[in-house]
Amino acid sequence: MANQSTVREFILMEFSDDRDMQIWYFVMFLVIYLLALVGNLLLGVAVILNHHLHAPMYFFLVNLSFSDVCFISTIIPKAMAASLTNNKKISYVGCAAQVFSVFIFGGSELSLLTIMAYDRYVAICHPLQYTLILNWDACLQMAAISWISNLINALLYTYLTFRLNFCKFNIIDQFFCDIPHLQNISCTDTRINQILILVTSIIVDSFCSGLIFISYGYIFFTVLTIPSVQGRYKAFSTCTPHLIVFSLFLIFALFAYMRPQSLSSHTLDLLSAFLYTVLPPLLNPFIYSFRNKDIQKAVWKMLIT
């Protein structure tokens, strides 16, 4: 990743230049970070320590919690430090590491949500074959494929971005290192990069989203054939947390990257990135815990012992 450009560090944007507001943002980021950290760690530890939760659905949920902790830790601590010290600089290597981390953990969020949709599909549409189809070997293989594929994808995106030259401008119009904003300040022609990233993103996102929609199409069709109202409610309730989490992730991501250029502004860009990168890791553990009595019992048991 050698780069012969003169830029050796970048300057990130702040939510505000007012010192009092910077302190307020620091406190807000700190509260959000601690809530996300505690929520995801409690959920993960509760599942690990309770043997009756050692099932495929909870195994993937632990992977999702781990990904969320790493994802939010990639962005929030740097934003907190910038707000507290008013130092908005980030090194060239630090920026590359942030881009890599955002893509590996952000990508793993989507791939894990896809796997969890498949888990719910098998559990509801083929309940008698559930343990046969989703045995531990299959679960480990799917998790490994998710992490390895996102590792390769993150390496590719990071290499394509930092093979560019940054000759003069080093101000990134975002509160973290984001590829579109890095491309905007590059003095190299970025058309090939943009095309490659766009094509791979469309393929991966369409594939994952398509599988999720197809899975839920079969799930809804199967649930509607269940004769008892209680049975339909129970089946839907097991899918509700995952569906809420996926919907929020998809809405935030579409708003961040697919909104019309006419709706783009400095404030809106910062807000959309905040929604996409910070809120899902914060909300995910609470959504799953709120709708799942087994997790609630496991967490309370762990807290009181």
Side-chain angles (χ1 to χ4, degrees), residues 104-259:
I104 188 173
F105 297 120
S108 67
E109 179 115 358
L110 179 58
S111 59
L112 287 169
L113 288 174
T114 304
I115 296 172
M116 293 169 75
Y118 177 70
D119 168 81
R120 292 298 82 202
Y121 159 74
V122 176
I124 293 175
C125 299
H126 304 283
L128 299 179
Q129 298 176 298
Y130 181 76
T131 55
L132 180 64
I133 297 174
L134 283 173
N135 54 62
W136 282 112
D137 286 341
C139 292
L140 291 172
Q141 289 172 7
M142 286 190 289
I145 291 173
S146 170
W147 286 107
I148 293 173
S149 60
N150 282 294
L151 172 64
I152 295 172
N153 198 39
L155 286 171
L156 174 63
Y157 280 17
T158 306
Y159 170 75
L160 288 175
T161 301
F162 288 92
R163 64 185 289 272
L164 302 174
N165 290 318
F166 301 93
C167 307
K168 183 178 180 181
F169 299 104
N170 67 338
I171 299 177
I172 301 174
D173 195 21
Q174 191 53 270
F175 72 100
F176 66 97
C177 289
D178 195 22
I179 285 182
H181 294 89
L182 284 167
Q183 290 177 342
N184 289 339
I185 63 173
S186 172
C187 56
T188 308
D189 187 357
T190 62
R191 283 178 295 181
I192 296 178
N193 281 35
Q194 291 174 353
I195 293 172
L196 287 174
I197 291 175
L198 178 64
V199 170
T200 55
S201 297
I202 290 176
I203 292 173
V204 173
D205 294 347
S206 300
F207 177 75
C208 292
S209 300
L211 284 181
I212 292 175
F213 285 124
I214 291 172
S215 297
Y216 273 101
Y218 281 109
I219 288 172
F220 289 144
F221 179 78
T222 302
V223 169
L224 292 176
T225 62
I226 298 176
S228 68
V229 176
Q230 185 178 3
R232 290 198 295 269
Y233 174 78
K234 184 178 180 181
F236 272 127
S237 65
T238 63
C239 300
T240 303
H242 177 269
L243 197 55
I244 293 174
V245 168
F246 170 69
S247 298
L248 290 175
F249 182 80
L250 183 63
I251 290 170
F252 293 153
L254 288 175
F255 182 72
Y257 290 104
M258 301 299 289
R259 70 182 187 278

Side-chain angles (χ1 to χ4, degrees), residues 1-146:
M1 201 182 298
N3 195 311
Q4 301 300 321
S5 66
T6 58
V7 171
R8 287 294 175 263
E9 63 182 12
F10 298 96
I11 299 175
L12 301 174
M13 297 299 292
E14 275 279 15
F15 283 88
S16 174
D17 293 326
D18 182 79
R19 187 58 187 160
D20 292 334
M21 289 300 296
Q22 287 178 342
I23 298 299
W24 188 89
Y25 282 123
F26 168 78
V27 174
M28 180 188 69
F29 281 133
L30 179 61
V31 171
I32 289 174
Y33 184 61
L34 290 177
L35 285 174
L37 205 63
V38 171
N40 282 288
L41 289 178
L42 277 177
L43 191 152
V45 173
V47 171
I48 293 172
L49 294 181
N50 287 269
H51 294 288
H52 70 281
L53 295 180
H54 290 183
M57 178 178 69
Y58 298 109
F59 168 73
F60 295 124
L61 186 56
V62 170
N63 276 265
L64 184 64
S65 294
F66 172 76
S67 176
D68 282 338
V69 168
C70 296
F71 192 24
I72 200 168
S73 297
T74 298
I75 297 171
I76 290 296
K78 179 59 182 176
M80 289 167 53
S83 296
L84 186 63
T85 64
N86 200 28
N87 181 6
K88 298 175 287 186
K89 296 179 180 179
I90 184 171
S91 68
Y92 185 89
V93 175
C95 189
Q98 197 172 61
V99 168
F100 172 79
S101 299
V102 165
F103 270 91
I104 188 173
F105 297 120
S108 67
E109 179 115 358
L110 179 58
S111 59
L112 287 169
L113 288 174
T114 304
I115 296 172
M116 293 169 75
Y118 177 70
D119 168 81
R120 292 298 82 202
Y121 159 74
V122 176
I124 293 175
C125 299
H126 304 283
L128 299 179
Q129 298 176 298
Y130 181 76
T131 55
L132 180 64
I133 297 174
L134 283 173
N135 54 62
W136 282 112
D137 286 341
C139 292
L140 291 172
Q141 289 172 7
M142 286 190 289
I145 291 173
S146 170

